[in-house]
Amino acid sequence: MSLYNFKKIAVVPSASDFLDIVLSKTQRKTPTVIHPGYKISRIRAFYMRKVRFTQDSFDEKLGLMLEDFPKVDNIHPFYADLMNILYDKDHYKLALGQLNTARHLIDAVAKDYVRLLKFADSLFRCKQLKKAALGRMATIMKRQKDSLGYLEQVRQHLARLPSIDPNTRTLIVCGYPNVGKSSFMNKVTRANVDVQPYAFTTKSLFVGHMDFKYLRWQVIDTPGILDHPLEDRNTIEMQSITALAHLRACIMYFIDLSEQCGFSIEDQISLFHSIKPLFANKPIQLVFSKMDAQRIEDLGEAHRAMVDQLLKEPGVETSALSSFTDEGVMDTRNRACERLLATRVEAKLKTNKITDVLNKLHLAQPTEKRGGVDRPAFIPEAARGRVRYDHQDPKRRRLERDLEVEEGGSGVYNVDLRKHYQLKDDSWKYDAIPEIMDGKNVADFVDPEIEAQLEALEREEERLVEQGLYESDEDILDSEDERIRDTAASIRERKAIMKAESQLRRSNTTSGLPRRIVNRSVTNRDLQTHLEGMGINEAVSEAVARSRSCAPVKRARSPSRAESLAREASVAARAQSQVRSRGEVGLRSEDITKSTKLKRMAERSRNQVARQGESDRSIPNLKPKHLFSGKRGVGKNDRR
């Protein structure tokens, strides 16, 4: 796995977004209500908490940002030089330094204003000091607008960089543009690098991975390099130079003998000599690409002499390939990997660590032959099939694979699983019921004459049925049993009637007074006597009863004006008496007092919860005007 993963760096917000995040967090996480009537110590603590919390939020956000970004002095030289080429190391350090300075300035502002808040003598003075503290912190962060914007661009570019492990087994493909580097990369790895018939198609480093000898390898495709001085090379070429200079890898330098890349063989050989100092202490593999278009044997004498002179360089091996026909691609890859493995082993043997490893290894060898007899290595015949599978060995153990081939192959041969059963008697393996208990299977416990015995029992049963053994007269109930049955039926019927009457009474007495009188035999005198016994005013009950009575309407003569006025006065008086005595109709006075008390007791807990404290967040205006008014297009009602 790679040691550096820049994709985990958090997004850097802009200065305005940074302030919104911190100040909204302060508003959400701290109390929001304070009153002038509180003690001054409580008011001071309220506003000091606001200032300290805002300082902690700024410090936390800036600290995480500074930790996420890599420090140029602490990372691998390859990544340090790569960042210097892409972003300018001085600008990068300056931006991080400004954020670190801003964090210290915010801490100093918070410390000063907390000291001033300790001596504030009123709520207004505390509020103004808190306002000034948060304003100075916001001003400091607004000045970091350019640094935050620059770091966000750096973060986006770092996230697009490939994850390269500088210490693993690596092959670096380099050379002039359009010589076949990306095509070779796509052939040997699972990468998908863009390949086009023009120069500088690859503008950055691409990493692909492959497996060789059960090991993971990474292959780096570098942008093309031109033959000119180092100071004249652009950013794209300097990425290749950085990888060649700092990564311990096998260098695969590609040369296009057909000159289809647009550069002559002389230019390609000259570039090899100019960048050869970067190949020090690294295995070099010269790869002649596009051999389907031009082979070494078909070169002219001048070019052949230049190539032969190049092959005489110390530590240089050659190979040829064609990515178009896949000729020599795997052979070139394998030779490069073998050279790199051998170089890494030699480098480890030259270190001091190998001494510690060799001290832990000891191979015991006999100094002389025991008894003067030569005893070579011997593998028993029983283990020969387990050690190796040799079809030509006649002494090897027969395997299921051999039986499958002899019996017709896959899909025809059926594996015999019962032959491996470990039973007391091998003849039991292929029984229809092979379950064994005490040396017997289930079939051993079955009586062989059980079917004949079952048939005899069935015949005996039929004979008894024909003789009428199972037939019997109906039981004759005596008079006592009949009487008990009738009594039980009458009791069940009476219970059903009582249950129905109870349900009827319950449905009619759900309210204070019945909706209708079921018993028509009760007179007004009986009702008045009952109400007097309960302590209810007789006149009130009579007026109410008279008002609720429904007398039949008769056609009569039209009354005179005096009679109409008298009737209206009587109706008004009756209605007023009803309103005056309405509270006394359903309940007694003591019952009304008791119900009112119970009502207040039940509301007490809800009233206590309804109180608001200083830490409760209140939203006085659910629809502030600045969020729900303004110019909107026709049919557009989305305010946010």
Side-chain angles (χ1 to χ4, degrees):
M1 297 298 294
S2 176
L3 298 176
Y4 305 99
N5 187 6
F6 301 129
K7 295 180 177 61
K8 295 182 179 180
I9 302 176
V11 177
V12 180
S14 62
S16 59
D17 294 342
F18 202 105
L19 291 178
D20 291 342
I21 293 171
V22 173
L23 296 181
S24 64
K25 183 179 180 182
T26 303
Q27 180 71 6
R28 287 184 290 108
K29 298 289 186 180
T30 57
T32 56
V33 179
I34 193 71
H35 300 289
Y38 291 160
K39 294 174 61 177
I40 188 62
S41 59
R42 184 176 183 181
I43 297 174
R44 290 170 184 164
F46 177 88
Y47 285 106
M48 287 165 62
R49 180 178 179 184
K50 291 269 188 183
V51 174
R52 288 199 184 103
F53 190 89
T54 307
Q55 174 214 347
D56 292 340
S57 300
F58 275 115
D59 192 86
E60 179 185 0
K61 295 286 290 183
L62 292 174
L64 291 176
M65 196 179 302
L66 294 173
E67 290 178 2
D68 285 345
F69 279 94
K71 295 179 176 56
V72 178
D73 298 333
N74 297 339
I75 60 177
H76 194 273
F78 164 69
Y79 276 111
D81 283 357
L82 190 62
M83 293 177 64
N84 187 25
I85 292 170
L86 297 175
Y87 322 118
D88 192 348
K89 180 169 60 176
D90 295 336
H91 291 174
Y92 177 73
K93 286 185 174 181
L94 185 61
L96 292 179
Q98 288 178 348
L99 291 185
N100 193 26
T101 304
R103 181 173 65 166
H104 292 311
L105 290 176
I106 289 174
D107 294 345
V109 168
K111 184 178 179 181
D112 293 342
Y113 277 89
V114 166
R115 186 184 299 112
L116 293 175
L117 279 168
K118 292 180 180 178
F119 300 98
D121 55 356
S122 65
L123 184 143
F124 176 76
R125 198 177 300 275
C126 291
K127 184 176 181 180
Q128 292 301 107
L129 288 173
K130 184 268 295 185
K131 189 175 180 180
L134 268 60
R136 288 189 60 184
M137 294 180 190
T139 303
I140 293 172
M141 282 309 304
K142 286 181 179 178
R143 292 174 181 172
Q144 310 304 320
K145 176 181 178 181
D146 296 336
S147 298
L148 293 174
Y150 173 76
L151 288 177
E152 172 59 16
Q153 294 181 2
V154 171
R155 184 200 67 82
Q156 294 177 3
H157 201 283
L158 280 175
R160 291 192 291 266
L161 286 180
S163 297
I164 299 175
D165 187 356
N167 300 319
T168 191
R169 295 161 292 276
T170 307
L171 302 180
I172 297 181
V173 183
C174 63
Y176 258 92
N178 202 24
V179 295
K181 302 186 297 297
S182 299
S183 300
F184 173 77
M185 175 89 167
N186 293 338
K187 292 291 183 181
V188 299
T189 67
R190 291 180 285 272
N192 186 17
V193 185
D194 188 19
V195 178
Q196 297 295 338
Y198 50 81
F200 287 107
T201 304
T202 304
K203 297 182 180 180
S204 63
L205 299 177
F206 283 90
V207 180
H209 295 85
M210 65 178 186
D211 294 327
F212 179 73
K213 287 191 173 180
Y214 304 103
L215 298 174
R216 178 57 59 92
W217 296 68
Q218 66 180 3
V219 183
I220 301 177
D221 182 18
T222 62
I225 309 173
L226 299 179
D227 187 16
H228 47 227
L230 185 64
E231 56 272 9
D232 296 338
R233 289 194 168 98
N234 57 20
T235 304
I236 297 176
E237 295 177 278
M238 287 304 297
Q239 296 182 52
S240 303
I241 299 299
T242 304
L244 294 172
H246 294 289
L247 295 179
R248 296 174 52 196
C250 178
I251 308 299
M252 303 182 68
Y253 185 81
F254 275 62
I255 297 178
D256 182 9
L257 297 179
S258 65
E259 298 182 353
Q260 295 179 358
C261 61
F263 302 96
S264 63
I265 298 178
E266 294 85 350
D267 294 338
Q268 299 180 56
I269 295 177
S270 175
L271 175 63
F272 175 79
H273 289 294
S274 63
I275 64 174
K276 187 178 178 182
L278 301 174
F279 304 159
N281 302 323
K282 299 173 186 176
I284 304 171
Q285 183 88 6
L286 276 180
V287 180
F288 300 109
S289 61
K290 303 180 183 180
M291 61 181 299
D292 57 316
Q294 181 69 47
R295 295 180 179 271
I296 302 178
E297 298 81 6
D298 301 334
L299 290 175
E301 295 182 0
H303 289 165
R304 184 59 184 271
M306 296 175 63
V307 172
D308 293 341
Q309 185 67 25
L310 184 62
L311 297 180
K312 296 179 181 179
E313 295 285 341
V316 175
E317 291 190 4
T318 61
S319 60
L321 60 86
S322 173
S323 299
F324 181 74
T325 60
D326 292 343
E327 182 181 358
V329 173
M330 290 296 111
D331 180 60
T332 301
R333 183 205 70 169
N334 297 341
R335 294 174 63 181
C337 293
E338 292 287 357
R339 289 203 63 195
L340 182 59
L341 284 179
T343 305
R344 290 170 66 92
V345 171
E346 292 176 2
K348 290 180 180 179
L349 290 176
K350 295 178 181 179
T351 60
N352 296 329
K353 294 182 179 180
I354 192 63
T355 306
D356 300 335
V357 176
L358 291 177
N359 291 336
K360 299 177 183 178
L361 301 177
H362 176 67
L363 180 61
Q365 292 286 350
T367 57
E368 58 183 9
K369 298 179 181 179
R370 183 164 54 88
V373 180
D374 188 12
R375 294 180 174 84
F378 174 72
I379 300 176
E381 294 183 2
R384 291 177 69 87
R386 302 177 185 176
V387 176
R388 59 191 179 95
Y389 186 77
D390 188 2
H391 292 276
Q392 306 299 330
D393 188 1
K395 297 182 180 181
R396 65 177 175 81
R397 183 170 59 92
R398 289 173 59 82
L399 305 178
E400 288 291 337
R401 189 183 304 171
D402 301 329
L403 298 177
E404 180 182 355
V405 173
E406 294 175 1
E407 297 293 335
S410 177
V412 179
Y413 174 68
N414 190 15
V415 181
D416 187 6
L417 300 178
R418 294 193 177 189
K419 66 181 180 181
H420 299 295
Y421 286 179
Q422 296 180 0
L423 304 177
K424 188 176 181 180
D425 188 355
D426 291 339
S427 62
W428 297 344
K429 290 182 180 180
Y430 298 98
D431 288 350
I433 307 176
E435 289 79 3
I436 302 302
M437 185 181 72
D438 298 333
K440 299 181 180 180
N441 58 21
V442 177
D444 294 333
F445 294 93
V446 179
D447 189 355
E449 300 179 356
I450 190 169
E451 294 183 358
Q453 294 177 5
L454 179 61
E455 187 178 356
L457 286 175
E458 291 177 352
R459 288 197 302 270
E460 180 68 19
E461 189 71 17
E462 293 175 357
R463 186 178 60 80
L464 293 176
V465 170
E466 292 176 357
Q467 294 177 0
L469 179 64
Y470 298 114
E471 296 180 358
S472 62
D473 297 335
E474 295 182 358
D475 296 333
I476 301 174
L477 299 176
D478 54 4
S479 59
E480 184 65 21
D481 293 341
E482 190 70 26
R483 185 181 62 80
I484 292 174
R485 288 178 179 271
D486 295 342
T487 304
S490 62
I491 290 173
R492 287 194 294 270
E493 184 179 358
R494 179 58 183 167
K495 284 184 177 181
I497 294 173
M498 294 173 63
K499 183 176 180 181
E501 292 178 351
S502 176
Q503 292 178 354
L504 183 61
R505 286 195 301 271
R506 192 180 302 114
S507 63
N508 291 336
T509 58
T510 54
S511 60
L513 291 176
R515 296 184 180 180
R516 58 188 180 87
I517 300 174
V518 179
N519 191 357
R520 300 293 183 180
S521 62
V522 179
T523 62
N524 290 338
R525 186 60 187 171
D526 297 336
L527 176 61
Q528 293 176 5
T529 304
H530 178 67
L531 293 177
E532 289 175 358
M534 294 176 63
I536 299 175
N537 192 352
E538 177 182 358
V540 173
S541 63
E542 184 178 359
V544 175
R546 188 179 294 110
S547 65
R548 293 184 179 181
S549 65
C550 300
V553 179
K554 297 181 179 181
R555 185 178 182 86
R557 62 179 177 82
S558 58
S560 62
R561 181 172 180 79
E563 292 176 352
S564 300
L565 293 175
R567 184 175 298 174
E568 290 177 2
S570 175
V571 172
R574 190 182 301 119
Q576 186 175 3
S577 65
Q578 291 181 15
V579 172
R580 187 168 52 250
S581 61
R582 186 170 296 168
E584 303 174 358
V585 175
L587 298 174
R588 303 176 186 176
S589 59
E590 57 269 17
D591 295 338
I592 295 174
T593 305
K594 186 176 180 180
S595 63
T596 305
K597 185 177 180 180
L598 291 175
K599 175 185 175 184
R600 291 176 180 174
M601 294 265 310
E603 292 176 350
R604 181 180 299 175
S605 60
R606 292 192 292 274
N607 291 337
Q608 291 176 351
V609 175
R611 295 177 182 175
Q612 187 180 38
E614 64 184 59
S615 63
D616 295 330
R617 187 182 182 196
S618 62
I619 304 177
N621 191 0
L622 294 178
K623 291 186 176 182
K625 186 175 181 181
H626 70 280
L627 291 180
F628 291 90
S629 64
K631 296 181 180 179
R632 298 192 301 274
V634 178
K636 181 66 173 179
N637 290 325
D638 189 3
R639 283 93 174 174
R640 300 299 294 270

